[in-house]
């Protein structure tokens, strides 16, 4: 269940919640999961939409690892009963830490425990650190847990580390930090049908929110509903054809060919094949795509 995003004061009460994990939780990586799993009973998550930096310092807002819908999906998979999304705006930014905790007590009347990651802070001027939350929570009978970061291979698991791994195509490292493959979702939209014209029809994805890897050709698995397809993904400006300067994301399914327009597609298990390149003519491009498909089949066998 997802509630919101809405302003904190507009959220309806959620009775029956005993534990609450609070944070942005972009990625829902191993560290985020540890915060949630530290709680017992009926556990809910309070998250923020958009990312607080989109309001506080837009020039520093990081690329997203997960959409809000994905956060709900991944949090529910580890046993939460609800995800409550709070609209992060200037009013919330200026809210005092005491008023914030009062609102939590109102929204979650049966709450017993709160868990946050170490270093997380809330309220006006980030005045609400773990010590302040413990103090304020005590007035409402709330215990507070400040959960230590998770380390993997001698380094901190963080959303920043995962973003850096994806940008340099270290997909295995990103997956180990996430506990699953990085996943990109989009809606299949009409394209120029160039792939179909040369014998390799593609699904063009729009409305992509998540961080993408660098331009190039990749082996992926594409999920549409309950179906999973082996596929080749091309991300770039299609330099062999006339480019409009805008990157496109095209997916050629190795099996299946039904009409997917308007459907949501999820891409996982990225594996790089080659960089994007310009070919002298369409025949040379077709030859290379044939090789790409053969490489993909070999890797996915």
């Amino acid at each position: 269940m997802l509630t919101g995003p809405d302003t904190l004061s507009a959220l309806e009460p959620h009775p029956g919640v005993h534990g609450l994990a609070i944070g942005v939780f972009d990625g829902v990586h191993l560290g985020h999961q540890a915060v949630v799993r530290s709680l017992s009973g009926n556990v809910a998550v309070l998250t923020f939409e958009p990312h607080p930096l989109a309001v506080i310092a837009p020039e520093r807002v990081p690329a997203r690892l997960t959409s809000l819908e994905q956060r709900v999906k991944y949090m529910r998979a580890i046993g939460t009963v609800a995800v409550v999304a709070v609209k992060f705006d200037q009013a919330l930014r200026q809210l005092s830490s005491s008023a914030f905790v009062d609102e939590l007590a109102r929204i979650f009347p049966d709450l017993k425990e709160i868990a946050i990651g170490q270093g997380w802070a809330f309220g006006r001027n980030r005045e609400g650190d773990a010590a302040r939350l413990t103090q304020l929570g005590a007035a409402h009978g709330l215990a507070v847990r400040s959960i230590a970061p998770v380390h993997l291979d001698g380094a901190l698991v963080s959303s920043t580390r995962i973003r850096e791994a994806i940008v340099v195509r270290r997909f295995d490292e990103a997956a180990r930090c996430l506990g699953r493959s990085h996943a990109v979702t989009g809606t299949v939209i009409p394209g120029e049908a160039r792939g179909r014209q040369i014998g390799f029809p593609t699904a063009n994805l729009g409305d992509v929110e998540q961080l993408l890897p660098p331009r190039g050709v990749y082996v992926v698995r594409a999920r549409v509903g309950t179906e999973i397809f082996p596929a080749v993904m091309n991300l770039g400006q299609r330099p062999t054809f006339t480019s409009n300067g805008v990157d496109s994301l095209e997916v050629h399914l190795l099996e299946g060919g039904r009409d997917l327009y308007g459907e949501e597609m999820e891409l996982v298990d990225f594996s790089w094949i080659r960089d994007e390149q310009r070919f002298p003519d369409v025949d040379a491009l077709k030859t290379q795509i044939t090789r790409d498909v053969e490489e993909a089949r070999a890797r996915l066998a």
Side-chain angles (χ1 to χ4, degrees):
M1 177 178 70
L2 169 66
T3 301
D6 211 338
T7 60
L8 197 65
S9 61
L11 291 170
E12 296 293 328
H14 282 63
V17 171
H18 307 127
L20 182 68
I22 307 176
V24 178
F25 299 128
D26 185 27
V28 193
H29 56 60
L30 297 182
H32 299 150
Q33 295 171 38
V35 174
V36 175
R37 290 190 166 113
S38 72
L39 297 163
S40 58
N42 290 334
V43 177
V45 168
L46 187 78
T47 188
F48 303 93
E49 185 70 18
H51 192 290
L53 281 178
V55 174
I56 298 169
E59 71 281 1
R60 294 194 290 116
V61 66
R64 297 182 70 141
L65 293 175
T66 49
S67 65
L68 181 57
E69 291 73 17
Q70 285 176 310
R71 272 181 275 167
V72 175
K73 173 183 172 181
Y74 299 144
M75 287 297 189
R76 293 305 305 274
I78 58 175
T80 63
V81 297
V83 176
V84 178
V86 179
K87 181 181 179 181
F88 195 94
D89 55 16
Q90 288 293 348
L92 183 63
R93 181 186 180 187
Q94 297 301 323
L95 192 68
S96 70
S97 56
S98 59
F100 181 79
V101 174
D102 287 345
E103 283 292 324
L104 294 184
R106 177 190 67 82
I107 298 167
F108 304 99
D110 300 318
L111 191 61
K112 303 299 180 186
E113 288 184 299
I114 294 173
I116 60 174
Q118 281 186 3
W120 185 79
F122 64 100
R124 185 171 50 233
N125 298 323
R126 291 176 60 84
E127 65 187 16
D129 57 11
R132 178 64 171 157
L133 180 58
T134 300
Q135 178 189 32
L136 294 170
H140 295 281
L142 302 176
V144 174
R145 298 173 180 267
S146 180
I147 308 305
V150 171
H151 288 77
L152 184 68
D153 301 331
L156 177 70
V157 172
S158 68
S159 298
T160 298
R161 177 182 174 183
I162 294 165
R163 293 185 190 101
E164 290 172 350
I166 292 168
V167 166
V168 295
R169 301 188 177 114
R170 293 199 304 264
F171 301 115
D172 288 347
E173 179 183 353
R176 285 185 287 112
C177 290
L178 289 165
R180 63 179 187 280
S181 171
H182 176 56
V184 169
T185 60
T187 303
V188 180
I189 59 176
E192 298 179 0
R194 292 188 185 275
R196 188 177 303 278
Q197 293 168 10
I198 63 174
F200 296 96
T202 60
N204 295 265
L205 263 59
D207 302 323
V208 175
E209 297 183 43
Q210 302 87 357
L211 175 64
L212 289 164
R215 293 172 182 165
V217 179
Y218 298 84
V219 182
V220 296
R221 296 187 194 275
R223 181 181 294 110
V224 181
T226 59
E227 299 178 276
I228 300 177
F229 304 94
V232 173
M233 179 190 94
N234 183 81
L235 174 63
Q237 297 187 357
R238 298 175 295 180
T240 302
F241 302 102
T242 300
S243 173
N244 61 6
V246 177
D247 283 359
S248 62
L249 197 167
E250 302 170 292
V251 182
H252 171 64
L253 304 182
L254 305 188
E255 301 170 3
R258 65 183 179 83
D259 184 2
L260 297 174
Y261 288 140
E263 296 199 50
E264 182 179 273
M265 178 180 289
E266 179 184 63
L267 305 178
V268 297
D269 298 339
F270 294 84
S271 176
W272 177 69
I273 296 179
R274 61 176 175 85
D275 287 329
E276 181 182 47
Q277 61 190 101
R278 179 183 177 89
F279 293 92
D281 52 47
V282 172
D283 285 340
L285 172 62
K286 289 170 62 177
T287 298
Q288 182 58 58
I289 294 176
T290 299
R291 295 191 185 115
D292 297 339
V293 168
E294 291 172 352
E295 177 66 20
R297 290 189 186 281
R299 294 191 193 184
L300 295 169

